[in-house]
Amino acid sequence: MDMKSRGDLVINGFGASNGGQFQLVTLNGRGTVNNDIECVELDCNGSGTLNGNVISEKAKVNGHARFRGNIDSQNLKIDGSARIDKNLTAEKIKVSGKATVGGKVKCEEIKIQGTFTVGGDCEAEIFQAESQFTIGGLLNADEVNLKLFGACFAKEIGGQNITIKAKGSLVGNLLKSFFKPQLETELIEGDKIEIENTIAKIVRGNQVKIGPNCQIGLVEYTEECLIDKKAVVAENKKV
């Protein structure tokens, strides 16, 4: 179907659709889409439930959305709350609200400023987070740049350049006693690694800098390793 010939789907109150192909899909009330949907743009401003798979060029969630299938979108922005039961594939993802993905995430660029939870692996070229997040599998990105706000977890982290620091702000400092900025992981492996406020069993890289408030079991490095006086490293060795 030609994109220009597609109609729009708009649900302002209570309503349901069987899905299909559309130009614009807007869910302003309590809308339900029962099958797969393909559209140029998806806007969920109310409470939307999409029971099939979603393919879109742009998707934005300002309200609350429940996706029971997969999402494949060039650009996904979540300012409200979104729950994706299966897998998420996109070129760019920005989360300022809350996003939960039951399966895997694959994206070129991910920027997280809210709360991000992934059940499986998360793969990107660039992963930036100034927030709290939980990744049940491997976080793998060329560039990993984390500014911790609260407790964060990833089973493993891999990349070329990995930077993990506590988020420094007035609000963050005032709330440190309630939301400890700390990352916990089993393994961090990359070329250039600079971390703080991190608990890890193994850190492995070429150039490694272990900053304050780190608790590391083993550090393996090929070029250089710097360890802050306020860090605890059980063992470090050049390989």
Side-chain angles (χ1 to χ4, degrees):
M1 179 184 292
D2 190 337
M3 286 188 180
K4 294 181 180 180
S5 66
R6 296 181 183 183
D8 296 339
L9 171 63
V10 179
I11 298 177
N12 289 316
F14 287 86
S17 168
N18 289 325
Q21 295 180 317
F22 301 95
Q23 180 78 14
L24 172 65
V25 175
T26 303
L27 305 178
N28 291 324
R30 186 176 294 273
T32 301
V33 180
N34 288 313
N35 292 302
D36 295 348
I37 194 167
E38 182 179 343
C39 61
V40 176
E41 187 172 351
L42 168 66
D43 286 331
C44 181
N45 300 310
S47 178
T49 300
L50 298 99
N51 291 318
N53 299 316
V54 174
I55 298 175
S56 68
E57 292 183 9
K58 293 182 180 180
K60 185 174 182 179
V61 177
N62 291 318
H64 172 76
R66 174 72 180 272
F67 300 88
R68 297 187 184 275
N70 300 306
I71 296 182
D72 188 340
S73 180
Q74 292 181 20
N75 195 317
L76 173 63
K77 186 176 182 181
I78 298 172
D79 292 328
S81 175
R83 179 175 176 180
I84 302 159
D85 289 358
K86 295 184 179 180
N87 301 318
L88 169 58
T89 303
E91 291 184 8
K92 290 186 178 182
I93 299 171
K94 183 177 181 181
V95 178
S96 299
K98 180 179 180 181
T100 302
V101 182
K104 298 179 180 181
V105 175
K106 186 173 183 180
C107 183
E108 292 183 7
E109 182 178 350
I110 303 176
K111 186 174 183 179
I112 310 298
Q113 294 177 317
T115 303
F116 191 53
T117 303
V118 181
D121 296 338
C122 182
E123 180 180 348
E125 293 183 8
I126 299 172
F127 184 94
Q128 294 180 322
E130 298 182 18
S131 60
Q132 292 179 272
F133 64 86
T134 299
I135 296 173
L138 168 66
L139 168 57
N140 184 27
D142 293 341
E143 299 285 337
V144 177
N145 193 335
L146 310 180
K147 293 182 180 179
L148 307 176
F149 182 79
C152 298
F153 173 83
K155 186 176 181 181
E156 296 180 350
I157 299 175
Q160 293 183 0
N161 297 315
I162 300 171
T163 303
I164 302 171
K165 294 186 177 182
K167 185 177 181 181
S169 67
L170 178 61
V171 174
N173 291 331
L174 290 173
L175 297 179
K176 274 184 179 179
S177 59
F178 299 98
F179 303 99
K180 188 175 181 181
Q182 180 175 278
L183 170 71
E184 186 174 351
T185 185
E186 294 181 7
L187 170 67
I188 298 175
E189 186 168 7
D191 294 332
K192 185 177 181 180
I193 300 171
E194 183 177 353
I195 61 174
E196 60 184 47
N197 289 58
T198 298
I199 298 174
K201 293 180 180 178
I202 300 172
V203 175
R204 183 181 294 126
N206 298 332
Q207 299 175 336
V208 179
K209 184 177 181 180
I210 306 297
N213 303 316
C214 286
Q215 298 177 40
I216 312 299
L218 170 64
V219 175
E220 293 182 344
Y221 64 98
T222 59
E223 296 180 16
E224 64 176 357
C225 177
L226 301 174
I227 300 174
D228 191 274
K229 293 180 179 179
K230 295 182 180 180
V232 176
V233 177
E235 180 182 2
N236 72 91
K237 61 182 181 180
K238 190 171 184 178
V239 295

